[in-house]
Amino acid sequence: MDLEMRRVRYFVAVAEECSFVRAASRLYMTQPALSRQIRALEEDLGVVLFLRDRQGTVLTRAGHQLLEDYRTKMNSTPRP
């Protein structure tokens, strides 16, 4: 799996869990490592994907769009 697809998989996990801690647990990785990967993805894309605070994690408009685009792409890709 290439680095970009791995980061997208990490992004989807955080988006679905609405929590870096729960997503990290689901992905069998540490929360700081997951946060670094998401920050790197955000830097690569030039957008903020999540609003993070003590109350939780929510998708930004760009995050919602990326999630929708990813799901559309995955649903239209033929499977072997």
Side-chain angles (χ1 to χ4, degrees):
M1 178 184 310
D2 71 346
L3 182 60
E4 221 31 60
M5 280 308 297
R6 187 177 319 151
R7 286 184 179 158
V8 170
R9 188 170 59 94
Y10 296 163
F11 162 75
V12 170
V14 176
E16 289 177 349
E17 297 290 341
C18 297
S19 165
F20 279 81
V21 172
R22 287 190 304 267
S25 177
R26 169 176 150 181
L27 295 164
Y28 302 103
M29 63 189 306
T30 65
Q31 180 273 322
L34 177 58
S35 291
R36 282 191 299 275
Q37 291 297 317
I38 295 298
R39 289 250 187 243
L41 177 61
E42 289 175 324
E43 288 175 16
D44 289 348
L45 297 174
V47 296
V48 175
L49 299 171
F50 296 99
L51 297 176
R52 307 154 173 92
D53 65 20
R54 291 189 178 268
Q55 304 302 317
T57 302
V58 295
L59 282 169
T60 63
R61 184 177 301 221
H64 279 288
Q65 185 64 53
L66 180 63
L67 185 60
E68 182 179 317
D69 292 349
Y70 174 73
R71 287 183 172 156
T72 300
K73 179 180 176 183
M74 293 311 294
N75 288 334
S76 66
T77 303
R79 306 214 181 214

